[in-house]
Amino acid sequence: MNEHSPVDLGELFATMDVAKAFSQPDQLEIAKCLELCSRKKGEPVLLQGDEGSFLAFIAEGSAGITKDISHTRDAEVFTVNKGGHFGELSMIDGKPRSASVVALEDLTLLCLSRENLDALARHSPETAYKLLLELMKSLSLRLRDTTHELVFKV
């Protein structure tokens, strides 16, 4: 675990975009499952193709999401800023990472592993369900934006 108390992590989690959907007690339940992580500017956070079992909420900084489209070139997909999250696809489906993530600034992350999500589901199923629903809403918005971009780029 880390040296931060669930209350400290709860305060950080409360600043995340997804946290708005939760009561303070639910935020604290989620915070008990989070681990604080950090990366320096320029450091990779995730690499496309790697195995992955966690998602990360950005408490400080921003991260660039890139997709390897050839052996010599990456395409920038989008930027995730403070309050946003990434890594949920692999955490949910257990498949390799679909993109790479690099720290555009020094990053402070709140990481949620699949194991800790499973523990939350056993301990507080309604909170876990609501968290997954909020993550699905976010994925849905990203998919709609991507579809819109594809249609209008043609």
Side-chain angles (χ1 to χ4, degrees):
M1 282 314 267
N2 56 61
E3 70 278 1
H4 293 278
S5 73
V7 174
D8 295 339
L9 292 176
E11 290 172 3
L12 279 176
F13 181 71
T15 66
M16 301 301 101
D17 296 340
V18 72
K20 296 172 187 157
F22 297 93
S23 66
Q24 187 177 16
D26 285 347
Q27 289 175 4
L28 288 174
E29 283 300 312
I30 295 168
K32 291 176 187 175
C33 300
L34 300 174
E35 294 187 34
L36 198 62
C37 307
S38 63
R39 295 290 186 277
K40 294 289 185 194
K41 179 180 178 178
E43 287 184 346
V45 182
L46 308 172
L47 295 175
Q48 182 177 327
D50 283 356
E51 296 299 316
S53 62
F54 73 92
L55 72 84
F57 299 99
I58 300 181
E60 288 294 331
S62 62
I65 312 298
T66 61
K67 184 81 173 159
D68 179 9
I69 57 173
S70 74
H71 294 295
T72 59
R73 191 165 74 95
D74 287 344
E76 289 184 31
V77 179
F78 60 92
T79 298
V80 182
N81 295 306
K82 181 178 178 176
H85 63 275
F86 58 85
E88 64 278 10
L89 290 177
S90 290
M91 187 199 67
I92 292 169
D93 67 16
K95 304 254 189 248
R97 299 290 185 184
S98 63
S100 294
V101 180
V102 65
L104 298 177
E105 306 172 75
D106 288 353
L107 282 176
T108 301
L109 304 169
L110 300 174
C111 296
L112 177 64
S113 68
R114 177 60 190 252
E115 299 90 66
N116 285 350
L117 177 62
D118 290 344
L120 178 65
R122 286 188 300 276
H123 182 281
S124 184
E126 289 180 22
T127 302
Y129 171 79
K130 193 171 184 179
L131 179 58
L132 285 172
L133 187 60
E134 291 303 314
L135 293 172
M136 288 190 319
K137 287 178 187 177
S138 175
L139 286 171
S140 176
L141 288 173
R142 287 183 190 168
L143 181 58
R144 288 178 186 276
D145 289 346
T146 301
T147 302
H148 180 79
E149 284 184 36
L150 287 173
V151 168
F152 288 102
K153 281 188 176 182
V154 174

